Amino acid sequence: MGKVFDPSLIIEFIPTLVKYLGVTLEILVASIILGTIIGIAAAIPKLFHIPILKQIVTLYISFIRGTPIIIQLFLVFYGLPAVLSLINIDITRMDALIFVIITYSLSNGAIFAEIFRGAISAVEFGQTEAAYSIGMTPFQNFTRIIFPQAIRVAFPNIANTVIGSLKDTSLAFTIGVMDMMGRGETIIAATAHALEVYIALSVIYYVVVLILEKGFKVFEKYTNRYQGTDASVA
Amino acid sequence: MVIDIPFIWVAFKEIAKAIPLTLVLAIVPVVIGFFIGLVVTFIREYKVKGIYSIANGYVSFFRGTPAIMHIMLVYFGIPMLLDSIINYFNLPYETNKIPIVLFVLFALSLTAGAYLSEIIRSGISSVAKGQMEAAYSIGMSTPQAMGRILLPQALAKSIPNFTNLSVGFLHTTSIAFLVSQKELTGTANIVASSNLKFLESFIAAGLIYWGISIIMEGIYYLVEKRVQQYSKGGVA
Protein backbone atom coordinates (compact mmCIF):
# COMPACT_ATOMS: atom_id res chain seq x y z
CA MET A 1 0.00 0.00 0.00
CA GLY A 2 1.00 3.61 -0.27
CA LYS A 3 2.32 3.30 -3.80
CA VAL A 4 0.70 5.11 -6.69
CA PHE A 5 -1.96 3.16 -8.58
CA ASP A 6 -0.57 2.00 -11.91
CA PRO A 7 -3.12 0.47 -14.31
CA SER A 8 -0.42 -0.85 -16.67
CA LEU A 9 0.71 -3.21 -13.88
CA ILE A 10 -2.66 -4.99 -14.05
CA ILE A 11 -1.94 -6.10 -17.61
CA GLU A 12 1.61 -6.97 -16.61
CA PHE A 13 0.44 -9.18 -13.71
CA ILE A 14 -2.24 -11.12 -15.60
CA PRO A 15 0.15 -13.42 -17.55
CA THR A 16 2.10 -14.24 -14.38
CA LEU A 17 -1.08 -15.10 -12.51
CA VAL A 18 -2.69 -17.08 -15.36
CA LYS A 19 0.20 -19.57 -15.16
CA TYR A 20 -1.20 -20.60 -11.78
CA LEU A 21 -4.75 -21.00 -13.07
CA GLY A 22 -3.83 -24.66 -13.64
CA VAL A 23 -3.46 -25.26 -9.90
CA THR A 24 -6.84 -23.60 -9.27
CA LEU A 25 -8.49 -25.73 -11.95
CA GLU A 26 -6.72 -28.84 -10.64
CA ILE A 27 -8.28 -28.28 -7.21
CA LEU A 28 -11.66 -27.63 -8.85
CA VAL A 29 -11.69 -30.68 -11.15
CA ALA A 30 -10.33 -33.10 -8.54
CA SER A 31 -12.79 -31.92 -5.90
CA ILE A 32 -15.75 -32.07 -8.30
CA ILE A 33 -14.93 -35.66 -9.37
CA LEU A 34 -14.28 -36.88 -5.81
CA GLY A 35 -17.24 -34.83 -4.57
CA THR A 36 -19.53 -36.55 -7.09
CA ILE A 37 -18.43 -39.96 -5.83
CA ILE A 38 -18.92 -38.91 -2.18
CA GLY A 39 -22.24 -37.30 -3.11
CA ILE A 40 -23.57 -40.49 -4.72
CA ALA A 41 -22.39 -42.56 -1.76
CA ALA A 42 -24.01 -40.13 0.68
CA ALA A 43 -27.28 -39.87 -1.26
CA ILE A 44 -27.88 -43.66 -1.28
CA PRO A 45 -28.59 -44.07 2.49
CA LYS A 46 -31.03 -41.16 2.33
CA LEU A 47 -32.84 -42.43 -0.77
CA PHE A 48 -33.18 -46.01 0.48
CA HIS A 49 -33.73 -45.03 4.15
CA ILE A 50 -30.88 -47.16 5.53
CA PRO A 51 -30.95 -46.76 9.33
CA ILE A 52 -27.88 -45.40 11.22
CA LEU A 53 -26.05 -44.61 7.94
CA LYS A 54 -28.87 -42.20 7.14
CA GLN A 55 -28.39 -40.35 10.44
CA ILE A 56 -24.62 -40.20 9.92
CA VAL A 57 -25.08 -38.77 6.43
CA THR A 58 -27.63 -36.23 7.70
CA LEU A 59 -25.16 -35.08 10.36
CA TYR A 60 -22.35 -34.85 7.79
CA ILE A 61 -24.46 -32.78 5.38
CA SER A 62 -25.70 -30.53 8.19
CA PHE A 63 -22.16 -29.88 9.45
CA ILE A 64 -20.77 -29.07 6.00
CA ARG A 65 -23.69 -26.76 5.23
CA GLY A 66 -23.44 -25.16 8.68
CA THR A 67 -19.77 -24.18 8.71
CA PRO A 68 -17.69 -21.91 6.47
CA ILE A 69 -15.31 -23.56 4.01
CA ILE A 70 -12.36 -21.85 5.66
CA ILE A 71 -13.13 -23.55 9.00
CA GLN A 72 -13.46 -26.90 7.20
CA LEU A 73 -10.11 -26.22 5.57
CA PHE A 74 -8.45 -25.59 8.93
CA LEU A 75 -10.16 -28.61 10.51
CA VAL A 76 -8.86 -30.95 7.79
CA PHE A 77 -5.44 -29.30 7.76
CA TYR A 78 -4.92 -29.65 11.52
CA GLY A 79 -7.31 -32.52 12.23
CA LEU A 80 -6.39 -35.14 9.64
CA PRO A 81 -2.73 -35.44 10.76
CA ALA A 82 -3.90 -35.66 14.39
CA VAL A 83 -6.40 -38.42 13.59
CA LEU A 84 -3.98 -40.35 11.40
CA SER A 85 -1.16 -40.08 13.96
CA LEU A 86 -3.34 -42.21 16.27
CA ILE A 87 -2.85 -45.10 13.84
CA ASN A 88 0.82 -44.20 13.33
CA ILE A 89 0.57 -42.64 9.88
CA ASP A 90 2.60 -39.46 9.57
CA ILE A 91 1.26 -37.02 6.98
CA THR A 92 2.54 -33.79 8.49
CA ARG A 93 4.84 -33.33 5.50
CA MET A 94 2.11 -33.96 2.92
CA ASP A 95 1.54 -31.32 0.24
CA ALA A 96 -1.01 -28.71 1.34
CA LEU A 97 -2.72 -29.17 -2.02
CA ILE A 98 -3.90 -32.65 -0.94
CA PHE A 99 -5.53 -31.19 2.18
CA VAL A 100 -7.27 -28.61 0.03
CA ILE A 101 -8.57 -31.24 -2.40
CA ILE A 102 -9.80 -33.42 0.50
CA THR A 103 -11.65 -30.47 2.07
CA TYR A 104 -13.29 -29.30 -1.13
CA SER A 105 -14.26 -32.87 -2.04
CA LEU A 106 -15.95 -33.35 1.33
CA SER A 107 -17.66 -29.99 0.99
CA ASN A 108 -18.86 -30.62 -2.56
CA GLY A 109 -19.87 -34.17 -1.65
CA ALA A 110 -22.36 -32.92 0.94
CA ILE A 111 -23.86 -30.40 -1.49
CA PHE A 112 -24.02 -32.96 -4.31
CA ALA A 113 -25.68 -35.50 -2.03
CA GLU A 114 -28.51 -33.06 -1.39
CA ILE A 115 -28.79 -32.16 -5.09
CA PHE A 116 -28.87 -35.82 -6.21
CA ARG A 117 -31.39 -36.78 -3.55
CA GLY A 118 -33.64 -33.85 -4.45
CA ALA A 119 -33.41 -34.50 -8.19
CA ILE A 120 -34.17 -38.22 -7.90
CA SER A 121 -37.12 -37.59 -5.58
CA ALA A 122 -38.36 -35.01 -8.08
CA VAL A 123 -38.96 -37.78 -10.63
CA GLU A 124 -42.42 -39.20 -10.10
CA PHE A 125 -42.65 -42.69 -8.61
CA GLY A 126 -45.10 -43.60 -11.40
CA GLN A 127 -42.11 -43.57 -13.77
CA THR A 128 -40.48 -46.37 -11.78
CA GLU A 129 -43.75 -48.31 -11.67
CA ALA A 130 -44.18 -47.91 -15.41
CA ALA A 131 -40.63 -49.12 -16.01
CA TYR A 132 -41.17 -52.19 -13.85
CA SER A 133 -44.51 -52.88 -15.52
CA ILE A 134 -42.83 -53.31 -18.89
CA GLY A 135 -40.27 -55.66 -17.31
CA MET A 136 -37.22 -53.43 -16.76
CA THR A 137 -34.74 -54.38 -14.06
CA PRO A 138 -34.05 -51.85 -11.27
CA PHE A 139 -30.70 -51.08 -12.92
CA GLN A 140 -32.32 -50.46 -16.32
CA ASN A 141 -34.98 -48.36 -14.64
CA PHE A 142 -32.34 -46.16 -13.02
CA THR A 143 -30.04 -45.73 -16.02
CA ARG A 144 -32.72 -45.36 -18.72
CA ILE A 145 -35.69 -43.76 -16.96
CA ILE A 146 -34.80 -42.05 -13.68
CA PHE A 147 -31.28 -40.77 -14.31
CA PRO A 148 -31.94 -38.91 -17.61
CA GLN A 149 -34.90 -37.12 -16.00
CA ALA A 150 -33.09 -36.43 -12.72
CA ILE A 151 -30.02 -34.94 -14.41
CA ARG A 152 -32.27 -32.35 -16.05
CA VAL A 153 -33.48 -31.21 -12.62
CA ALA A 154 -30.06 -31.46 -10.99
CA PHE A 155 -27.93 -29.81 -13.66
CA PRO A 156 -28.57 -26.11 -12.91
CA ASN A 157 -27.75 -26.76 -9.25
CA ILE A 158 -24.63 -28.72 -10.16
CA ALA A 159 -23.52 -25.85 -12.39
CA ASN A 160 -24.01 -23.36 -9.55
CA THR A 161 -22.05 -25.59 -7.19
CA VAL A 162 -19.15 -25.86 -9.63
CA ILE A 163 -19.00 -22.09 -10.06
CA GLY A 164 -19.31 -21.55 -6.29
CA SER A 165 -16.56 -24.08 -5.76
CA LEU A 166 -14.27 -22.26 -8.20
CA LYS A 167 -14.76 -19.08 -6.21
CA ASP A 168 -14.13 -20.97 -2.95
CA THR A 169 -10.74 -22.17 -4.20
CA SER A 170 -9.57 -18.58 -3.70
CA LEU A 171 -9.31 -19.46 0.02
CA ALA A 172 -6.86 -22.34 -0.46
CA PHE A 173 -3.93 -19.95 -0.11
CA THR A 174 -4.72 -19.57 3.63
CA ILE A 175 -3.07 -22.95 4.28
CA GLY A 176 -0.20 -22.18 1.95
CA VAL A 177 -1.19 -23.53 -1.46
CA MET A 178 0.46 -21.83 -4.43
CA ASP A 179 -2.61 -21.24 -6.57
CA MET A 180 -3.53 -17.95 -8.28
CA MET A 181 -4.31 -16.25 -4.97
CA GLY A 182 -1.14 -17.61 -3.39
CA ARG A 183 0.93 -16.30 -6.28
CA GLY A 184 -0.91 -12.98 -6.02
CA GLU A 185 0.04 -12.72 -2.35
CA THR A 186 3.72 -13.25 -3.20
CA ILE A 187 3.54 -10.54 -5.88
CA ILE A 188 2.00 -8.17 -3.31
CA ALA A 189 4.76 -9.01 -0.83
CA ALA A 190 7.37 -8.29 -3.51
CA THR A 191 5.93 -5.17 -5.18
CA ALA A 192 3.39 -3.74 -2.68
CA HIS A 193 0.94 -3.15 -5.54
CA ALA A 194 -1.98 -4.91 -3.84
CA LEU A 195 -4.87 -3.26 -5.67
CA GLU A 196 -3.46 -4.02 -9.11
CA VAL A 197 -2.96 -7.69 -8.18
CA TYR A 198 -6.51 -8.03 -6.88
CA ILE A 199 -7.95 -6.36 -9.98
CA ALA A 200 -5.94 -8.75 -12.17
CA LEU A 201 -7.15 -11.73 -10.12
CA SER A 202 -10.77 -10.54 -10.31
CA VAL A 203 -10.52 -10.28 -14.09
CA ILE A 204 -9.17 -13.83 -14.37
CA TYR A 205 -11.82 -15.31 -12.04
CA TYR A 206 -14.55 -13.39 -13.83
CA VAL A 207 -13.47 -14.60 -17.28
CA VAL A 208 -13.25 -18.22 -16.10
CA VAL A 209 -16.72 -17.98 -14.52
CA LEU A 210 -18.17 -16.44 -17.70
CA ILE A 211 -16.69 -19.27 -19.81
CA LEU A 212 -18.07 -21.90 -17.40
CA GLU A 213 -21.51 -20.24 -17.41
CA LYS A 214 -21.61 -20.25 -21.23
CA GLY A 215 -20.59 -23.91 -21.35
CA PHE A 216 -23.17 -24.93 -18.78
CA LYS A 217 -25.89 -23.05 -20.62
CA VAL A 218 -25.20 -25.07 -23.77
CA PHE A 219 -25.35 -28.34 -21.84
CA GLU A 220 -28.51 -27.25 -20.02
CA LYS A 221 -30.21 -26.65 -23.35
CA TYR A 222 -29.12 -30.15 -24.40
CA THR A 223 -30.63 -31.78 -21.30
CA ASN A 224 -33.86 -29.87 -21.91
CA ARG A 225 -34.10 -30.74 -25.61
CA TYR A 226 -37.33 -32.75 -25.24
CA GLN A 227 -39.02 -30.25 -22.96
CA GLY A 228 -40.68 -27.92 -25.46
CA THR A 229 -40.10 -24.19 -25.41
CA ASP A 230 -41.22 -23.07 -21.95
CA ALA A 231 -38.89 -25.40 -20.04
CA SER A 232 -36.03 -22.92 -20.22
CA VAL A 233 -38.07 -20.49 -18.10
CA ALA A 234 -38.86 -23.03 -15.39
CA MET B 1 -0.46 -34.55 18.71
CA VAL B 2 -3.29 -35.44 21.05
CA ILE B 3 -6.61 -33.67 20.99
CA ASP B 4 -7.17 -31.72 24.21
CA ILE B 5 -10.93 -32.03 24.65
CA PRO B 6 -11.29 -29.73 27.73
CA PHE B 7 -9.53 -26.97 25.79
CA ILE B 8 -12.31 -27.01 23.20
CA TRP B 9 -14.64 -25.66 25.90
CA VAL B 10 -12.06 -23.04 26.99
CA ALA B 11 -11.68 -21.94 23.35
CA PHE B 12 -15.44 -22.06 22.88
CA LYS B 13 -15.98 -19.51 25.66
CA GLU B 14 -13.22 -17.29 24.34
CA ILE B 15 -14.39 -17.43 20.69
CA ALA B 16 -18.06 -16.97 21.61
CA LYS B 17 -17.23 -13.36 22.54
CA ALA B 18 -16.86 -12.70 18.81
CA ILE B 19 -20.44 -13.71 18.02
CA PRO B 20 -21.86 -10.12 18.10
CA LEU B 21 -19.34 -8.81 15.53
CA THR B 22 -19.95 -11.84 13.33
CA LEU B 23 -23.69 -11.31 13.44
CA VAL B 24 -23.26 -7.61 12.57
CA LEU B 25 -21.05 -8.59 9.62
CA ALA B 26 -23.59 -11.19 8.53
CA ILE B 27 -26.83 -9.24 8.98
CA VAL B 28 -26.02 -5.61 8.08
CA PRO B 29 -24.79 -6.42 4.54
CA VAL B 30 -27.86 -8.55 3.85
CA VAL B 31 -30.17 -5.72 4.98
CA ILE B 32 -28.32 -3.05 2.96
CA GLY B 33 -27.95 -5.51 0.10
CA PHE B 34 -31.70 -6.07 0.11
CA PHE B 35 -32.29 -2.41 -0.75
CA ILE B 36 -29.50 -2.41 -3.34
CA GLY B 37 -31.06 -5.57 -4.74
CA LEU B 38 -34.53 -3.99 -4.96
CA VAL B 39 -33.21 -0.93 -6.81
CA VAL B 40 -31.11 -3.04 -9.18
CA THR B 41 -34.02 -5.39 -9.84
CA PHE B 42 -36.31 -2.53 -10.83
CA ILE B 43 -33.62 -1.01 -13.06
CA ARG B 44 -33.28 -4.37 -14.79
CA GLU B 45 -37.00 -5.15 -14.94
CA TYR B 46 -37.95 -1.77 -16.41
CA LYS B 47 -34.78 -1.58 -18.54
CA VAL B 48 -34.01 1.98 -17.37
CA LYS B 49 -31.96 3.65 -20.10
CA GLY B 50 -28.26 4.20 -19.49
CA ILE B 51 -27.95 2.54 -16.09
CA TYR B 52 -29.53 -0.72 -17.25
CA SER B 53 -26.29 -2.14 -18.61
CA ILE B 54 -24.37 -0.89 -15.56
CA ALA B 55 -26.81 -2.78 -13.32
CA ASN B 56 -26.36 -5.92 -15.41
CA GLY B 57 -22.58 -5.61 -15.30
CA TYR B 58 -22.65 -5.07 -11.54
CA VAL B 59 -24.68 -8.22 -10.89
CA SER B 60 -22.67 -10.30 -13.33
CA PHE B 61 -19.29 -9.17 -11.98
CA PHE B 62 -20.12 -9.56 -8.30
CA ARG B 63 -21.64 -12.98 -8.86
CA GLY B 64 -18.68 -13.99 -11.00
CA THR B 65 -15.84 -13.18 -8.62
CA PRO B 66 -15.10 -14.51 -5.11
CA ALA B 67 -16.23 -12.40 -2.12
CA ILE B 68 -12.61 -12.20 -0.95
CA MET B 69 -11.87 -10.13 -4.09
CA HIS B 70 -14.64 -7.67 -3.22
CA ILE B 71 -13.28 -7.23 0.30
CA MET B 72 -9.72 -6.80 -0.96
CA LEU B 73 -10.68 -4.43 -3.79
CA VAL B 74 -12.66 -2.23 -1.41
CA TYR B 75 -10.04 -2.50 1.34
CA PHE B 76 -7.22 -1.37 -0.94
CA GLY B 77 -9.14 0.59 -3.57
CA ILE B 78 -11.45 2.88 -1.59
CA PRO B 79 -8.71 4.44 0.61
CA MET B 80 -6.67 5.16 -2.53
CA LEU B 81 -9.67 6.75 -4.20
CA LEU B 82 -10.57 8.79 -1.12
CA ASP B 83 -6.94 9.83 -0.61
CA SER B 84 -6.68 11.22 -4.12
CA ILE B 85 -9.97 13.13 -3.65
CA ILE B 86 -8.80 14.47 -0.27
CA ASN B 87 -5.45 15.51 -1.68
CA TYR B 88 -7.10 17.16 -4.68
CA PHE B 89 -9.40 19.33 -2.55
CA ASN B 90 -7.01 19.64 0.42
CA LEU B 91 -9.62 18.34 2.82
CA PRO B 92 -8.70 17.85 6.50
CA TYR B 93 -9.54 14.11 6.61
CA GLU B 94 -7.40 11.01 6.92
CA THR B 95 -8.50 7.71 5.37
CA ASN B 96 -6.39 5.56 7.68
CA LYS B 97 -8.67 6.56 10.56
CA ILE B 98 -11.64 4.79 8.93
CA PRO B 99 -12.25 1.50 10.80
CA ILE B 100 -11.59 -1.54 8.61
CA VAL B 101 -14.94 -3.03 9.59
CA LEU B 102 -16.67 -0.32 7.51
CA PHE B 103 -14.79 -1.46 4.40
CA VAL B 104 -15.81 -5.05 5.07
CA LEU B 105 -19.44 -4.03 5.55
CA PHE B 106 -19.36 -1.95 2.36
CA ALA B 107 -17.82 -4.75 0.31
CA LEU B 108 -20.16 -7.42 1.63
CA SER B 109 -23.18 -5.16 1.07
CA LEU B 110 -22.24 -4.87 -2.60
CA THR B 111 -21.83 -8.66 -2.79
CA ALA B 112 -25.18 -9.23 -1.07
CA GLY B 113 -26.88 -6.67 -3.36
CA ALA B 114 -25.87 -8.62 -6.47
CA TYR B 115 -27.06 -11.96 -5.11
CA LEU B 116 -30.27 -10.49 -3.68
CA SER B 117 -31.18 -8.79 -6.93
CA GLU B 118 -31.10 -12.19 -8.66
CA ILE B 119 -33.21 -13.73 -5.86
CA ILE B 120 -35.80 -10.93 -5.99
CA ARG B 121 -35.90 -11.11 -9.77
CA SER B 122 -36.59 -14.84 -9.76
CA GLY B 123 -39.24 -14.24 -7.07
CA ILE B 124 -40.94 -11.62 -9.26
CA SER B 125 -40.88 -13.83 -12.33
CA SER B 126 -42.49 -16.64 -10.32
CA VAL B 127 -45.61 -14.50 -9.63
CA ALA B 128 -48.26 -15.08 -12.27
CA LYS B 129 -48.59 -12.26 -14.80
CA GLY B 130 -52.36 -12.12 -14.24
CA GLN B 131 -51.76 -10.70 -10.74
CA MET B 132 -50.35 -7.44 -12.14
CA GLU B 133 -53.08 -7.29 -14.79
CA ALA B 134 -55.76 -7.82 -12.14
CA ALA B 135 -54.24 -5.02 -10.02
CA TYR B 136 -54.28 -2.65 -13.00
CA SER B 137 -57.84 -3.67 -13.90
CA ILE B 138 -59.16 -2.47 -10.53
CA GLY B 139 -57.39 0.85 -11.05
CA MET B 140 -54.19 0.47 -9.03
CA SER B 141 -51.17 2.55 -10.03
CA THR B 142 -47.87 0.81 -10.79
CA PRO B 143 -46.34 1.59 -7.36
CA GLN B 144 -49.51 0.37 -5.66
CA ALA B 145 -49.61 -2.83 -7.70
CA MET B 146 -45.91 -3.38 -7.00
CA GLY B 147 -46.07 -2.65 -3.28
CA ARG B 148 -49.34 -4.37 -2.48
CA ILE B 149 -49.66 -7.19 -4.98
CA LEU B 150 -46.42 -8.17 -6.67
CA LEU B 151 -43.67 -7.68 -4.08
CA PRO B 152 -45.39 -9.38 -1.11
CA GLN B 153 -45.94 -12.49 -3.20
CA ALA B 154 -42.50 -12.36 -4.80
CA LEU B 155 -40.74 -11.94 -1.45
CA ALA B 156 -42.77 -14.72 0.19
CA LYS B 157 -41.68 -17.07 -2.59
CA SER B 158 -38.06 -15.98 -2.16
CA ILE B 159 -37.82 -16.95 1.52
CA PRO B 160 -36.03 -20.29 0.94
CA ASN B 161 -33.47 -18.41 -1.15
CA PHE B 162 -33.11 -15.74 1.56
CA THR B 163 -32.40 -18.52 4.07
CA ASN B 164 -29.62 -19.94 1.92
CA LEU B 165 -28.18 -16.50 1.29
CA SER B 166 -28.22 -15.48 4.97
CA VAL B 167 -26.51 -18.68 6.08
CA GLY B 168 -24.12 -18.30 3.16
CA PHE B 169 -23.28 -14.77 4.31
CA LEU B 170 -22.68 -15.95 7.86
CA HIS B 171 -20.05 -18.22 6.33
CA THR B 172 -18.70 -15.48 4.07
CA THR B 173 -17.95 -13.31 7.13
CA SER B 174 -15.18 -15.81 7.95
CA ILE B 175 -13.18 -14.21 5.12
CA ALA B 176 -13.05 -10.95 7.10
CA PHE B 177 -10.34 -12.47 9.28
CA LEU B 178 -7.96 -12.04 6.33
CA VAL B 179 -8.19 -8.26 6.83
CA SER B 180 -7.57 -8.80 10.58
CA GLN B 181 -11.14 -8.59 11.84
CA LYS B 182 -11.72 -10.25 15.21
CA GLU B 183 -14.84 -12.14 14.23
CA LEU B 184 -15.27 -15.89 14.90
CA THR B 185 -12.56 -17.16 12.57
CA GLY B 186 -10.19 -14.30 13.44
CA THR B 187 -10.63 -14.91 17.17
CA ALA B 188 -10.27 -18.66 16.69
CA ASN B 189 -7.00 -17.98 14.88
CA ILE B 190 -5.73 -15.80 17.75
CA VAL B 191 -6.78 -18.35 20.40
CA ALA B 192 -5.19 -21.09 18.31
CA SER B 193 -1.85 -19.43 17.78
CA SER B 194 -1.50 -18.04 21.32
CA ASN B 195 -2.15 -21.47 22.86
CA LEU B 196 -0.73 -23.53 19.97
CA LYS B 197 -3.92 -25.58 19.94
CA PHE B 198 -5.14 -25.14 16.37
CA LEU B 199 -7.43 -28.11 16.00
CA GLU B 200 -9.29 -27.52 19.28
CA SER B 201 -9.89 -23.82 18.51
CA PHE B 202 -11.22 -24.48 15.04
CA ILE B 203 -13.46 -27.28 16.33
CA ALA B 204 -14.92 -24.75 18.78
CA ALA B 205 -15.36 -22.16 16.01
CA GLY B 206 -16.95 -24.77 13.75
CA LEU B 207 -19.44 -25.70 16.46
CA ILE B 208 -20.39 -22.04 16.95
CA TYR B 209 -20.93 -21.49 13.22
CA TRP B 210 -22.94 -24.69 13.01
CA GLY B 211 -25.12 -23.64 15.95
CA ILE B 212 -25.79 -20.17 14.54
CA SER B 213 -26.60 -21.66 11.11
CA ILE B 214 -29.14 -24.05 12.62
CA ILE B 215 -30.75 -21.24 14.66
CA MET B 216 -30.92 -19.02 11.55
CA GLU B 217 -32.56 -21.78 9.54
CA GLY B 218 -35.04 -22.31 12.36
CA ILE B 219 -36.00 -18.62 12.46
CA TYR B 220 -36.50 -18.53 8.69
CA TYR B 221 -38.57 -21.69 8.89
CA LEU B 222 -40.92 -19.99 11.36
CA VAL B 223 -41.11 -16.87 9.16
CA GLU B 224 -41.85 -19.00 6.12
CA LYS B 225 -44.64 -20.82 7.93
CA ARG B 226 -46.15 -17.52 9.10
CA VAL B 227 -45.92 -15.89 5.66
CA GLN B 228 -47.29 -18.82 3.72
CA GLN B 229 -50.26 -19.62 5.92
CA TYR B 230 -52.50 -17.66 3.53
CA SER B 231 -51.19 -19.18 0.34
CA LYS B 232 -52.51 -22.69 0.38
CA GLY B 233 -51.74 -23.76 -3.15
CA GLY B 234 -50.82 -27.11 -4.58
CA VAL B 235 -51.70 -30.33 -2.84
CA ALA B 236 -51.00 -29.52 0.82
Side-chain angles (χ1 to χ4, degrees):
Chain A
M1 266 210 301
K3 288 204 181 173
V4 189
F5 180 66
D6 184 356
S8 67
L9 279 176
I10 300 172
I11 296 156
E12 202 177 299
F13 287 152
I14 286 181
T16 323
L17 292 168
V18 164
K19 279 183 204 142
Y20 289 80
L21 181 63
V23 182
T24 300
L25 293 181
E26 188 185 331
I27 300 171
L28 181 70
V29 172
S31 67
I32 295 295
I33 293 171
L34 291 173
T36 310
I37 297 167
I38 298 173
I40 293 170
I44 289 170
K46 285 201 119 183
L47 281 168
F48 292 101
H49 302 287
I50 303 169
I52 304 171
L53 270 183
K54 190 184 163 188
Q55 276 78 14
I56 294 173
V57 167
T58 310
L59 198 70
Y60 156 63
I61 294 173
S62 165
F63 180 76
I64 296 289
R65 288 168 54 106
T67 50
I69 187 86
I70 202 164
I71 292 283
Q72 294 162 20
L73 206 53
F74 287 144
L75 283 178
V76 170
F77 188 60
Y78 294 113
L80 203 58
V83 172
L84 288 183
S85 71
L86 295 178
I87 49 171
N88 289 322
I89 300 173
D90 183 28
I91 55 162
T92 40
R93 286 169 184 278
M94 198 167 72
D95 192 353
L97 191 68
I98 313 272
F99 289 106
V100 171
I101 292 175
I102 293 173
T103 313
Y104 285 88
S105 304
L106 286 172
S107 172
N108 285 333
I111 300 165
F112 281 150
E114 279 297 90
I115 294 174
F116 295 155
R117 189 187 59 82
I120 289 174
S121 339
V123 181
E124 259 180 277
F125 192 64
Q127 299 276 341
T128 302
E129 287 176 332
Y132 287 156
S133 78
I134 57 163
M136 280 192 180
T137 63
F139 181 73
Q140 282 176 325
N141 167 41
F142 183 78
T143 51
R144 297 197 195 166
I145 308 296
I146 305 296
F147 183 75
Q149 297 186 71
I151 197 74
R152 193 180 69 79
V153 179
F155 189 72
N157 291 326
I158 293 174
N160 280 339
T161 309
V162 173
I163 289 172
S165 195
L166 169 76
K167 289 187 272 176
D168 279 344
T169 58
S170 61
L171 294 173
F173 82 99
T174 50
I175 61 167
V177 171
M178 219 11 149
D179 69 333
M180 274 199 312
M181 270 302 268
R183 183 73 184 106
E185 295 291 317
T186 59
I187 295 180
I188 293 171
T191 64
H193 279 285
L195 187 60
E196 292 88 339
V197 169
Y198 288 119
I199 293 176
L201 282 170
S202 306
V203 170
I204 298 172
Y205 277 111
Y206 189 37
V207 169
V208 176
V209 168
L210 286 183
I211 293 171
L212 283 179
E213 273 179 352
K214 273 270 142 56
F216 289 145
K217 206 153 247 169
V218 173
F219 189 77
E220 202 179 325
K221 259 202 186 129
Y222 175 75
T223 58
N224 280 326
R225 64 199 181 283
Y226 301 125
Q227 289 296 317
T229 43
D230 54 340
S232 57
V233 193
Chain B
M1 193 162 92
V2 190
I3 299 172
D4 181 356
I5 305 233
F7 187 77
I8 296 178
W9 176 239
V10 177
F12 189 92
K13 282 186 286 188
E14 198 60 36
I15 298 167
K17 289 177 192 155
I19 291 177
L21 178 65
T22 305
L23 288 180
V24 167
L25 286 176
I27 293 168
V28 172
V30 173
V31 173
I32 300 174
F34 179 75
F35 292 104
I36 300 177
L38 268 184
V39 173
V40 170
T41 307
F42 283 117
I43 293 173
R44 296 175 79 197
E45 286 287 305
Y46 286 101
K47 299 203 165 46
V48 181
K49 262 184 218 152
I51 44 177
Y52 166 67
S53 48
I54 298 175
N56 268 347
Y58 158 71
V59 173
S60 165
F61 178 78
F62 275 81
R63 282 166 50 92
T65 46
I68 180 173
M69 290 299 159
H70 312 156
I71 293 180
M72 291 306 189
L73 288 179
V74 168
Y75 177 63
F76 288 108
I78 298 284
M80 255 182 209
L81 197 70
L82 287 179
D83 270 337
S84 58
I85 295 172
I86 288 167
N87 284 338
Y88 189 77
F89 292 106
N90 270 326
L91 297 172
Y93 299 115
E94 277 178 66
T95 46
N96 52 18
K97 285 194 180 141
I98 303 173
I100 297 172
V101 70
L102 286 183
F103 293 123
V104 177
L105 286 176
F106 182 67
L108 289 179
S109 302
L110 289 176
T111 317
Y115 283 96
L116 278 161
S117 97
E118 278 295 284
I119 291 176
I120 297 169
R121 202 170 69 124
S122 77
I124 287 178
S125 61
S126 73
V127 177
K129 216 179 163 196
Q131 297 279 336
M132 269 309 254
E133 288 167 1
Y136 285 136
S137 76
I138 57 165
M140 280 190 179
S141 64
T142 305
Q144 278 179 326
M146 277 283 169
R148 297 192 194 171
I149 308 294
L150 190 73
L151 275 183
Q153 297 186 61
L155 295 182
K157 283 189 177 165
S158 307
I159 288 176
N161 285 331
F162 286 143
T163 317
N164 285 336
L165 183 96
S166 304
V167 175
F169 257 78
L170 172 71
H171 299 165
T172 308
T173 60
S174 63
I175 298 172
F177 107 93
L178 295 173
V179 287
S180 60
Q181 286 303 292
K182 289 193 190 68
E183 40 69 70
L184 285 174
T185 308
T187 314
N189 207 26
I190 293 168
V191 173
S193 35
S194 54
N195 295 288
L196 288 177
K197 290 193 193 310
F198 290 91
L199 184 57
E200 292 83 350
S201 306
F202 289 119
I203 290 176
L207 290 175
I208 297 174
Y209 275 116
W210 195 6
I212 301 176
S213 303
I214 290 173
I215 294 170
M216 263 188 173
E217 279 171 3
I219 294 171
Y220 269 104
Y221 176 72
L222 293 178
V223 172
E224 194 178 344
K225 238 169 112 183
R226 174 90 184 75
V227 167
Q228 298 199 330
Q229 60 183 334
Y230 301 112
S231 57
K232 278 199 181 131
V235 284

